[in-house]
Amino acid sequence: MHSHTAREATMMDPSQPVIERWGASLNFATTAVLAVHGPGQDASHMRDLAARVADPGAAYFAPQAPGGHWFPERVTEPFEVNQPELDESLEAVLATLTHIMRSGFAPARTVLLGFSQGACLLAHHIVTSRVAFGGAVLLGGGYLGPDGTAAPVTSRWDGRPVFLGLSREDPWVPLSRAEETADVLRRRGADVELRVYRGARLAPNDDQVRAARDVLARVRGEQAA
């Protein structure tokens, strides 16, 4: 793996998120990965996860949350409880995806990888976006909104891989919301796998790392076909 690491936000535009970049060089990368960290973390935690995944063809782009949190409360709270942080964080996701596209990666070559709050942000972006991506790995995530919130069915994910891994005692996301997120993506045609783990996990486990590796390999293989 190319060892390139860079901070690609500029102080000239404080409205843009700080984006850490590492992994394969843009000239040689087969896949871009939008990597979004969990609460109380920063991009270095996603860099550690990327090292465990060990995909030499992946170029990583990781926005950082101001203060280490993307939103203040659980995903099933009313939307206004998580504002204005939620809208600001979703804008950071969109800005990073725009940066990825301008770096030469189409959505079909882009994988969304998130942990905990980061996985929730990505899940919410997916279910409210008209754009389908190459694949997604959502570790402890589900879309936001109070119980009964119905996600719109917009983009088609026909056959594209999505992995959701969740602890039964997850502090941010109830299992029912992860199941609802999986159902939404299945209705859009995605190839979805939801795995539920015992106990409360504070970091991605080895099984989730293998699943992320598998999703990246599938997306790379589909681009090469």
Side-chain angles (χ1 to χ4, degrees):
M1 178 183 292
H2 187 61
S3 61
H4 175 78
T5 301
R7 174 167 293 195
E8 296 195 345
T10 69
M11 297 303 293
M12 295 177 63
D13 188 355
S15 67
Q16 295 300 304
V18 173
I19 301 171
E20 296 285 341
R21 232 288 294 153
W22 69 87
S25 67
L26 300 183
N27 290 335
F28 295 99
T30 57
T31 310
V33 180
L34 168 55
V36 186
H37 66 76
Q41 299 181 348
D42 58 26
S44 67
H45 291 79
M46 300 308 290
R47 190 182 301 114
D48 292 343
L49 175 57
R52 294 170 64 193
V53 173
D55 187 308
Y60 288 85
F61 299 77
Q64 296 200 115
H69 288 76
W70 296 109
F71 49 88
E73 302 295 339
R74 281 167 57 92
V75 299
T76 51
E77 294 294 331
F79 283 113
E80 57 269 21
V81 173
N82 279 313
Q83 298 293 11
E85 292 90 341
L86 175 58
D87 281 350
E88 293 168 352
S89 297
L90 290 169
E91 286 294 327
V93 166
L94 187 59
T96 308
L97 286 169
T98 299
H99 185 74
I100 289 171
M101 183 178 66
R102 290 175 177 170
S103 297
F105 298 93
R109 293 177 60 201
T110 302
V111 172
L112 309 187
L113 169 64
F115 176 67
S116 188
Q117 279 194 350
C120 297
L121 271 189
L122 294 179
H124 198 81
H125 178 82
I126 289 169
V127 302
T128 56
S129 173
R130 296 184 179 276
V131 178
F133 297 91
V137 180
L138 306 174
L139 306 179
Y143 66 84
L144 285 92
D147 290 339
T149 299
V153 178
T154 52
S155 58
R156 294 295 306 173
W157 279 63
D158 295 330
R160 301 184 184 194
V162 176
F163 176 83
L164 294 96
L166 185 78
S167 165
R168 289 188 182 275
E169 289 78 33
D170 190 283
W172 292 96
V173 184
L175 177 57
S176 58
R177 180 52 54 86
E179 292 171 335
E180 290 167 346
T181 303
D183 288 343
V184 169
L185 290 170
R186 288 191 184 104
R187 290 199 301 272
R188 297 185 184 186
D191 182 6
V192 179
E193 181 173 6
L194 170 62
R195 294 183 195 169
V196 181
Y197 304 90
R198 295 179 180 177
R201 297 188 181 273
L202 302 179
N205 61 38
D206 289 343
D207 185 66
Q208 293 171 333
V209 170
R210 286 190 293 269
R213 191 179 300 134
D214 290 345
V215 168
L216 282 167
R218 277 189 59 180
V219 173
R220 182 173 59 250
E222 289 168 5
Q223 293 303 306

